[in-house]
Amino acid sequence: MCSFHLSTAAMSAWAKHDRKTEAWLPLYRHMADSGAVAGRLWDDWVPGSVKRLISHALPEGESDGRILVTWLAASHDLGKATPVFAMQVPELADRMEDAGLPMPSSITPVDRRSAPHSLASHVLLRKWLTEKYGWAPAVADAFAVVPGGHHGVPPSSNDLIHLDDRGRLLGKADAWLKVHDELADFAADSSCARDRLPHWATTPLSPPAQALVTGIVILADWIASNHELFPYGEDDDLASRTERGLDALALPGPWRALAPPPADELFSRRFDLPDGATARPVQLAAYDVAATVSKPGLIIVEAPMGEGKTEAALAAAEVLAHRTGAGGCFIALPTMATSDAMFTRALAWTQRLPRIDGDETLSVYLAHSKSRFNEEFRGLMDSVVQEVGVDECSESCSGTSTHVAVAHQWLFGRKKGVLADVVIGTIDQILFGALKTRHLALRHLAMANKVVIIDEVHAVDTYMSVYLDRVIEWLGAYRIPTIVLSATLPSDRRRHLVESYDRGSRPEPPASPVRQKAKWRKEVPISSGDSPYDVLDGDIGYPVITASTGATPMVRAVPPSGRRVEVRIEPTADDDAALVDILRRDTAHGGCVAIIRNTVGRAQQTKELLEQYFPGEVTLIHSRFLAVDRSRIEADLRSTFGRDAKTRPGRHFVVGTQVLEQSLDVDFDLMVTDLAPIDLLLQRMGRLHRHNRPPGDRPPLLRTPRCLITGVEDWSAQPILAVDASQYVYGSSALLRSVTVLGTHLRRDEMIALPEDIAPLVQSAYSDALQSPPGWEDTWAQAEREADERRNKQLERAADFLLASPPRQRGGSILGWINRGAGDVDDSGRGRAQVRDTDDGIEVVVVQRVDGELRALSWLDEHGGRRLDSGTGIPPHLARAVATCTVRLPPRLTSPWMIDRVIDELETNGIAAWQDSPWLGGELVLVIDAQGHADIAGHTLEYDRELGLLLHNEPEGAAK
C-alpha cells in the first residue's frame, strides 16, 4: 500500500453506520478495505483469462490490471463524501460539519433519489480525471462508469447531466471540493495508481473490460461491507485488517487446469470407463478440436442421442481451460430435472480432476430455483453463518491428488452462487446474461471466468434463441471458450450461433482518446455476398463438430461410433380403442412402452384409459405434479428403465409429456408418440432401444424398434392435420413439415436409421426450400403465414429487455447499458418469464385442510398430516417439507382475464406467521380438502397422486 495523508475533514466522512450500536466506519477505511480486497481477489481469485482480457490494452499488462481494479475499487464510494449522503445520519453529518464541511439546510427524499452515491462517485471521479489530469471526457467515462455502476446499474448520460445541474447535493463549497480531491488522491495513492494515470489517459477500457472490472468491484465492495470481516470502530493498520478479514472468508481460488493427458487416458481417468473400453469417435474429435483449433472460441458438437456428448464437452472444457486460463466451468441445461441429473455427473468429474499441490478445493453450485431441495447439493453446503456483502443498496441491502468439491458458504445465493468454480444450472442462467437486469456485470464476470457448456440447445425455441444469440455474442466479446451440444440442430441455428460468436470477438479498432462516446450498434450481418459461413449451411455431415476461427469456420465430420438403431415408423389412429388393441397385441409377451403426449391433458386422459386395461402397470410423468411427487416418479423411472437398472418389469407403460424427450436417460422397447416437430420426434426416438442390451432381454415382438405416431385427426386426409392440442403447442407449420419430410417412412412403414437420417431429416424440415405436397398448398401457405407472425411476435417481445450487442469501439463506455431494464430478476418465476416465451403458470404451495385445521399433505414422509400452526410460525424442518409441495397452476388460470382474480383468492390463504420462513415466505398457498379438491376463481382443481393436478372442464388445447 502506497503512502497517503488525509485532513481531519476528509477523515470525518463516513461510509457505514450501525443504527443499533451507533458504531460507524470512516469512508477512507472502507475505500482502503475495498481496494485491498480487490487486489487480493485479483491475486487469488480472478483467473488468468479474465486478467488478460482486462489488461490486454493497458501499457504494463497485468501489473497495470491489478493496480486498475484496486484503484477503481478504492474509488467506488467517493460519492459518499457528499452532503446528500452524509445527512442520512444527522449525528455523523454534525460531526463532519464540525470538521469544516458545511451542510445544506435540508435534503429531501427526491434529492436522495436523484443523487445516489454511486452516481455521485462517477461524477466526482470523472471531474477529478478531466480537471486534474486532463483526460478526455469520453476516456474518463470509460473508467468512472465502474464506480458509477457498482450498485448494479451503470448510470446513463441523462443521469449524469441531471446530477451536474444539482451540484449543491455533492457539495459546492471549497471545503467539499478539497475533500473530494483528497479522497480521490487517497484512492490513487493507496492503490499506487497515481503514476499510471498519465499512461492510461490514452487507453480507454473496452466495454467488455468495463463490465468485468465492475463485477470485481461489486464483489470487493460486498466483501468489504461485511462488518464481521471488517469491523467498525477498530483502529488497526489497514494491511492487517485486510489480511484478517480475507483469511476469515477463505474464498476458494479458481480452478487451475493442468495440462491434460492424452485423450484415451483422460476419458478413462475422468469418466471411469470399464476395462477395455475406449472413448467414442465424437469424444476423441472434441478433445482434438479443443486442443488444436487455432483460436479457442465456439465449438458446436452435433451427435446422436446417447453418444457421450456430455463427456466430450467436459473433456474439451478441461483442454480449453488449460489453454486459455479459464478458472471454472458453467454447464447449462434445458430444465431443472436435467440440471439435477447433470449435477451428479459433473460432481464426479470435478472430484477426479487433478490438482496443483495446495489447490485442492473447487467450489460447486447448483443454479436453479429448486436447488435447495437437491439432497446431493445440500450435502455439500457448508453452514451459512453470514451473508457477506450486505451494502445499503445491494441485494440484501502436476500432482496426482484430486479436488475436493464444496459449496462455499459465501458462494451461495441467487447472485453470488454463479461465481463458484463449477456451476450447473438451467439455461436461464446463461440467458440472463442478455437480459437488462440489475447486477448484470456480476453475471458477466461469472461467465467470463469459465468455459461455458450449453447442452441440448435444440430445446431453445425462437424466443429464447434471441437471448441465446446475444449471449453468444457477448461470450465472443469476452473470448470465452464455449461448447454447444445438440443432437438435432437446424443449419440456420448452427450458422447464427457461429456468426454471433465471431461478431462479438472481432478485433477492436485502434483506440482514440478523442473518439465520441460510442452508440450501441445495431446488429448487422457479419458478411454479405459470398460468406465464409456458407460452409455451415445444409447437411454438413453427422456427427459433426464445428469451430469458430474468426475467419472460415472449421468443420470436421466425425466417423460414426457404430451404434446404430433402425426404427420402423407406423402411422396410428388417434383412437382409444385402437391404442389399447395395439398395446395388448404387442405386449402379449411383455415389454416396456413409452406413450408421449404433447399436452398434460392428453397424457392424463391416456393414463386413465390404460389403467382400465392394464391396472397397476401404468406410470404418468408430466410437469403438473407436486415437486416432491415428480422427483419421486423420476427417480423411480431412472432406477427402473435407466442405464444401470438392475431389473425391468415384465410389462409396463410410461405415459408422459415432453419431459420424456429431454429430462431422463431411459430405455423403452416400444414407443407411441403424438406427432411433433421432426427434431423432437427424433429426440423421442432416442429413448427407444437406447441402451445396449442383449437381444434376448427384449420381448420377442419388440426386438425391432418401432415408433407409432398418433395425434393426427385422419391419416388419409389431404392435408394431414394434427389434433388441435398439438397445433396449439407447436403451430401447424412445424407439424406439416414434420409429416412432409417423413414422407415414405410413414406411407410404407419404412425404417429410419439413427444416426444416419437425423441430419437429412432435420435440415430438410427446416429448409426454406421445402415444398408443400400436392393438394396441401393453401393449408401450407396459411400455416407458414401463422408461423411467421408467431415468430415475429416472439422476436418483438424478446427485444423489450434485450441487452444490446457489445460495441466494438474501445472509446465507448457502458453508460446506459441496462436502461429501461427488467429490474432485479433471478431464477425465480419472474426471471424465467423474461427469457422464456412460456406460461409456466403460478407456482403454489399445496397444503390440506382437514377437520378445520391446516395440515401438511398426508403422504409426506415423516411430516405427513402434521398440523401447521398459522399463528406461531413453522419449524424449519417442517417448513422445508411443506415447501417441496409446490406445483404450477394450469395456464387457463393464469390467462390475462383470470390471473388477478386467481392471485387475489390465493392471497386470502396467506399465513402471516409463515412470512419470516426462508422456505415459505412470499409463497402463494393453495388449500385442498381431504379429498384433494379446491375451488378457485370459479374452477375446480383436484390433486391426484397418480394423475397430478387436474383442472376439471379444462379445454384440451390449453393444457400444456
Side-chain angles (χ1 to χ4, degrees), residues 766-891:
Y766 288 94
S767 171
D768 291 337
L770 184 65
Q771 296 295 312
S772 162
W776 296 21
E777 288 84 359
D778 291 345
T779 302
W780 184 280
Q782 177 64 24
E784 292 296 294
R785 285 194 295 272
E786 291 173 355
D788 286 342
E789 291 174 3
R790 183 175 182 173
R791 186 179 303 111
N792 289 336
K793 288 179 180 178
Q794 287 180 315
L795 296 175
E796 184 177 346
R797 286 196 301 273
D800 287 344
F801 299 117
L802 181 67
L803 186 67
S805 296
R808 294 181 61 218
Q809 295 92 339
R810 287 179 51 249
S813 76
I814 57 172
L815 284 175
W817 197 31
I818 52 176
N819 279 4
R820 296 178 300 279
D824 195 356
V825 303
D826 52 32
D827 56 3
S828 65
R830 183 182 177 195
R832 284 169 52 84
Q834 297 290 353
V835 296
R836 293 182 185 250
D837 186 33
T838 181
D839 186 354
D840 282 338
I842 299 171
E843 186 174 78
V844 295
V845 173
V846 182
V847 300
Q848 284 183 297
R849 179 170 281 115
V850 181
D851 298 330
E853 293 184 332
L854 287 182
R855 295 185 178 273
L857 297 178
S858 59
W859 58 88
L860 284 182
D861 294 339
E862 299 181 49
H863 304 289
R866 287 278 301 276
R867 181 174 176 270
L868 304 175
D869 194 323
S870 59
T872 60
I874 183 170
H877 61 282
L878 181 56
R880 179 176 178 270
V882 172
T884 66
C885 299
T886 57
V887 69
R888 293 192 180 277
L889 299 182

Side-chain angles (χ1 to χ4, degrees), residues 71-88:
W71 167 55
L72 291 176
S75 303
H76 81 282
D77 268 353
L78 280 174
K80 289 184 175 179
T82 56
V84 70
F85 180 85
M87 291 181 68
Q88 292 181 92

